[in-house]
Amino acid sequence: FRSRIILEAKNKTIRDKDNNLAGIIISGKNITGHLARQENLKDAINLYSILTENVPGISLFLFDNELRFIISRGDEMKKIGFTSEDFEGKTLYDIHDEKIRNIWVPLFESALNNRKTSVEYEYRSYVYHMSVLPVLNNRNEAYMGIAINQNITERKHTIQRLRKYTKEAEKAKLATIDFMANISHEIRTPLSAVIGFTEQLKQTSMGSKQKQYLNIIDESSEHLMRSEERRVGKECRSRW
């Protein structure tokens, strides 16, 4: 199997001192990789365009090495008062909104320096996540960039609510443990007294029926104390 190579041909005529044609120099440049990247870029732009048309909250921008917008896609821009015409054919420096310029310019310049970057930022009550990727030529140099801007406001609010609920649940758990510890103290203190008095009563003279009742009290008290100690031990292990 032979791979296809695409060459870009150039020719230059050579003439003698009388301006007669003396020869032609033909040179070729391998542009296979460059064309492949162009096709990949085209496919990527098509894919991102489909995403912006079908996934809410996404905007797509393609810009050149002068930070000039070539493509601007997505309805999300309308939420913050922009249209495609506000970007396409203009440079990022032409955008009148200073906050947008201050946030986007470093990201776009990083892409042109062949670095992938991303950032979260707030703008007009919304939260956005922007990812910027370099587009490379046949010398692996960035000559364009793609920026994907996504509205993540609802996701951020959901995360904040989850964190709030988690903190509240943790507080409730600690409060329950403290409450049970207090209850445990209230149970074990009189229970210890009952066990102590039972031991004292065993030393006195009693009839068989009284001894039977006393043994029942003693066994029940000991069982309750052991059960309470196991419960407290389990609570302590779950807490730590």
Side-chain angles (χ1 to χ4, degrees), residues 72-91:
S72 173
R73 297 283 188 274
D75 292 334
E76 179 62 28
M77 293 178 291
K78 295 178 181 178
K79 286 186 179 181
I80 52 178
F82 290 106
T83 65
S84 295
E85 289 73 21
D86 292 320
F87 293 97
E88 291 181 355
K90 300 177 182 178
T91 71

Side-chain angles (χ1 to χ4, degrees), residues 26-221:
I26 300 176
S27 63
K29 181 180 179 182
N30 187 343
I31 60 170
T32 310
H34 176 68
L35 291 179
R37 290 188 182 92
Q38 291 294 322
E39 286 297 318
N40 291 338
L41 174 62
K42 182 179 178 181
D43 292 341
I45 292 173
N46 289 335
L47 175 61
Y48 290 137
S49 296
I50 292 172
L51 285 175
T52 58
E53 292 170 1
N54 294 277
V55 180
I58 292 181
S59 298
L60 167 72
F61 304 95
L62 178 67
F63 57 92
D64 63 16
N65 56 6
E66 295 180 348
L67 304 188
R68 187 178 304 280
F69 292 96
I70 301 170
I71 293 176
S72 173
R73 297 283 188 274
D75 292 334
E76 179 62 28
M77 293 178 291
K78 295 178 181 178
K79 286 186 179 181
I80 52 178
F82 290 106
T83 65
S84 295
E85 289 73 21
D86 292 320
F87 293 97
E88 291 181 355
K90 300 177 182 178
T91 71
L92 183 51
Y93 299 106
D94 295 327
I95 305 302
H96 298 301
D97 194 300
E98 183 178 0
K99 185 172 183 179
I100 288 289
R101 292 199 309 271
N102 291 339
I103 296 172
W104 289 15
V105 166
L107 298 174
F108 284 31
E109 289 178 343
S110 293
L112 294 175
N113 287 321
N114 206 359
R115 293 195 303 268
K116 299 178 182 179
T117 53
S118 63
V119 71
E120 287 185 10
Y121 65 95
E122 294 184 8
Y123 184 78
R124 294 187 184 178
S125 76
Y126 296 107
V127 182
Y128 290 95
H129 180 272
M130 173 170 273
S131 298
V132 187
L133 313 171
V135 178
L136 306 180
N137 59 20
N138 60 336
R139 296 184 299 276
N140 287 322
E141 298 170 342
Y143 71 105
M144 287 196 298
I146 295 177
I148 302 102
N149 201 40
Q150 184 177 10
N151 188 331
I152 59 170
T153 307
E154 186 57 36
R155 185 198 307 171
K156 296 292 287 187
H157 289 170
T158 300
I159 292 173
Q160 291 172 356
R161 287 194 295 268
L162 288 174
R163 287 175 178 170
K164 179 182 177 182
Y165 297 151
T166 301
K167 288 181 180 179
E168 291 176 351
E170 185 64 25
K171 288 181 180 179
K173 179 182 177 182
L174 294 176
T176 301
I177 291 174
D178 291 338
F179 173 76
M180 294 304 295
N182 291 332
I183 292 295
S184 175
H185 175 74
E186 296 297 328
I187 292 174
R188 289 164 62 180
T189 299
L191 191 57
S192 297
V194 171
I195 294 173
F197 280 118
T198 302
E199 291 296 327
Q200 291 295 322
L201 286 172
K202 286 181 180 181
Q203 308 301 320
T204 63
S205 299
M206 291 182 294
S208 60
K209 200 69 174 177
Q210 290 173 316
K211 288 182 179 180
Q212 183 181 356
Y213 291 152
L214 190 60
N215 287 334
I216 292 173
I217 294 173
D218 188 31
E219 291 175 1
S220 298
S221 300

